[in-house]
């Protein structure tokens, strides 16, 4: 297959939603259609003791939530699909924001009973800023929930989207009869029997035919006719251009757990979703069909295999072919590096690949050379931007609980911080280590992983910090800067990149500091110009 054909058949997307709307379950079902797994392990059901394939960290299986983004790939109808399943929990939102820099389109999952929730709003806002094409999947139709029209209104108002339904439910919850697919003009009947994995569809090109009454009963049929008439009256018809520019969002209804309405979603996705898109670097716009390879690290994952202390850097390929055992330029270090065993993913199964194409995600063995946001190229100096560190919301001192294991503790902290789980600050005054996170759940994850993956125990001590601000080093020679450093010494720390950080203990003291030292710039993210 030619290089261009390979690019044409790639689709890379992320799945986002509020916790528990059913992202991981949907991911599993998509893999089922791709023939990638034989039996999907639902996150909640006790009948199947398999556990979801895409949650492979011990802690994810215990709590039934996803903590880290996982990368999965499968083939469907000759199209190579790469899925990034993201955590919904707001404590892990940073991982999700970074993942959004690596996808070409997004599927937003919404729970029919709960409607649009806060986490969904935040994530969709990020997608809207970047004009990422979105498809909305309204999940759990086999439970009682909100009326379909109310939901569509809510999606338009709260998320600021322009929707067009491409499938429509016939009843819901207890009366859920099935789905009318407006995209292919057929009816899919819901049997409620999960053993029948893949449903039969009945084609009905004309809704007024008596056949519909036979299938779903007269009452439901009449309601459906009225509703479809309404839908066609109110909502614009689907326009692929608008969708690709992020101006319009198609909506599908279904139940991922019962594997219902998922195939429709997949068939439509394969047909309309964008191919790998060009990406803006600081130097220029890079197109996927260029011959020279380039890509960037959007995630680092330590200890994917607990028996080996390994780290994998996840790289999204933007242009050219990535070949095994070929030296590439690590732009930040200005050094050539080569990789003997690049991995392609399939949940827990990794396989070594010789050539990967734009749109693919590759895992590279990493010995500590990569940081999130690093660029690899064939020699050109490029920097892909837009993978920032945000100011953490929670701060705690970390103390060693087992003096014999201090080496393991530091190694563990070091690796977990590179992974981007949290941020490490070292106080200038006494060298104590402070961990800053976006959410409180992360402290548990860190403690758990330090103990189970590094054999180190730690305790935490609260620290009253309101926000961490990065200090701009521009005027570091001025008297004002030196005065600031002298007076605020007990509030200053260095981050892992050795940048100076000011830990303000309250919003008030932050304001006072800015008034007192007007020429010193403080930033809330680590990437500033």
């Amino acid at each position: 297959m030619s290089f261009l054909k390979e690019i044409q058949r790639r689709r890379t997307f992320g799945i986002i939603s509020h916790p528990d709307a059913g992202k991981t379950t949907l991911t599993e079902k998509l893999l089922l259609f791709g023939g990638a797994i034989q039996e999907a392990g639902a996150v909640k059901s006790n009948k199947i003791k398999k556990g979801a394939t895409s949650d492979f960290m011990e802690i994810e299986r215990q709590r039934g939530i996803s903590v880290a983004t996982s990368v999965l790939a499968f083939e469907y109808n000759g199209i190579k699909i790469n899925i990034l399943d993201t955590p919904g929990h707001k404590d892990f939102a940073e991982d999700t924001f970074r993942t959004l820099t690596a996808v070409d389109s997004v599927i937003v999952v919404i729970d029919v009973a709960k409607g649009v929730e806060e986490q969904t709003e935040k994530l969709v806002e990020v997608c809207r800023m970047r004009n990422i094409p979105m498809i909305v999947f309204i999940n759990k139709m086999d439970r009682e929930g909100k009326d379909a029209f109310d939901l569509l209104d809510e999606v338009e108002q709260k998320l600021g989207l322009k929707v067009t339904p491409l499938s429509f439910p016939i009843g819901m919850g207890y009366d859920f009869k099935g789905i009318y697919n407006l995209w292919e003009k057929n009816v899919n009947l819901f049997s409620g029997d999960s053993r029948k994995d893949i449903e039969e569809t009945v084609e009905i090109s004309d809704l007024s035919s008596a056949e519909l009454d036979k299938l779903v009963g007269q009452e439901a049929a009449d309601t459906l006719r009225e509703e479809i008439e309404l839908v066609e009256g109110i909502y614009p018809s689907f326009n692929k251009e608008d969708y690709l520019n992020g101006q319009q969002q198609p909506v599908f209804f279904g139940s991922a757990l019962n594997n219902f309405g998922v195939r429709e979603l997949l068939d439509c996705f394969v047909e309309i979703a964008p191919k790998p898109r060009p990406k803006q670097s600081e130097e220029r716009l890079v197109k996927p069909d260029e011959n020279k390879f380039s890509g960037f690290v959007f995630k680092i994952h330590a200890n994917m295999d607990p028996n080996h202390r390994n780290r994998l850097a996840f790289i999204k390929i933007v242009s050219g072919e990535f070949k095994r055992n070929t030296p590439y330029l690590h732009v930040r270090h200005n050094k050539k590096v080569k990789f003997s065993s690049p991995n392609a993913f399939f949940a827990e199964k990794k396989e070594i690949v010789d050539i990967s194409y734009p749109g693919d995600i590759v895992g590279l063995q990493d010995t500590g050379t990569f940081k999130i946001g690093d660029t690899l190229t064939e020699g050109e100096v490029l920097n892909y931007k837009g993978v920032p560190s945000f100011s953490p919301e929670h701060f705690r001192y970390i103390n060693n609980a087992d003096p014999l294991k201090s080496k393991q503790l530091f190694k563990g902290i070091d690796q977990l911080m590179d992974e981007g789980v949290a941020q490490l600050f070292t106080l200038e005054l006494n060298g104590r280590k402070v961990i800053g996170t976006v959410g409180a759940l992360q402290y548990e994850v860190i403690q758990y992983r330090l103990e189970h993956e590094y054999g180190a125990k730690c305790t935490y001590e609260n620290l009253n910090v309101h926000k961490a601000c990065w200090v701009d080093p521009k005027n570091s020679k001025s008297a004002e800067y030196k005065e600031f450093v002298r007076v605020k010494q007990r509030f200053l720390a260095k981050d892992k990149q050795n940048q100076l950080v000011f830990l303000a203990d309250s919003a008030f003291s932050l304001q006072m500091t800015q008034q007192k030292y007007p020429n010193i710039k403080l930033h809330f993210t680590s990437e500033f110009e």
Side-chain angles (χ1 to χ4, degrees), residues 147-209:
D147 173 70
F149 286 107
D150 292 350
L151 264 174
L152 292 171
D153 284 349
E154 195 175 321
V155 169
E156 296 216 298
Q157 281 156 8
K158 283 196 182 166
L159 301 180
L161 303 181
K162 291 197 172 60
V163 301
T164 170
L166 290 186
S167 75
F168 207 80
I170 308 174
M172 86 153 65
Y174 187 68
D175 301 322
F176 184 53
K177 297 272 197 304
I179 286 172
Y180 176 68
N181 184 343
L182 287 106
W183 173 250
E184 295 169 358
K185 294 242 187 304
N186 57 30
V187 171
N188 192 342
L189 296 178
F190 179 63
S191 57
D193 176 6
S194 59
R195 281 187 305 255
K196 279 169 62 180
D197 275 332
I198 291 157
E199 280 74 18
E200 301 85 61
T201 49
V202 183
E203 275 200 39
I204 293 189
S205 42
D206 180 17
L207 273 181
S208 53
S209 74

Side-chain angles (χ1 to χ4, degrees), residues 229-257:
E229 201 175 312
L230 256 175
V231 167
E232 288 173 344
I234 309 174
Y235 296 103
S237 52
F238 175 71
N239 177 334
K240 193 167 168 179
E241 281 299 284
D242 289 352
Y243 157 72
L244 291 176
N245 296 329
Q247 307 294 318
Q248 189 193 52
Q249 288 77 25
V251 180
F252 285 89
F253 291 85
S255 158
L257 188 61

Side-chain angles (χ1 to χ4, degrees), residues 485-503:
V485 172
R486 192 178 60 79
V487 174
K488 295 289 177 194
Q489 190 190 2
R490 36 186 281 265
F491 301 110
L492 292 176
K494 289 268 173 69
D495 70 0
K496 257 196 104 159
Q497 277 69 54
N498 235 357
Q499 287 170 300
L500 192 64
V501 178
F502 170 55
L503 304 173

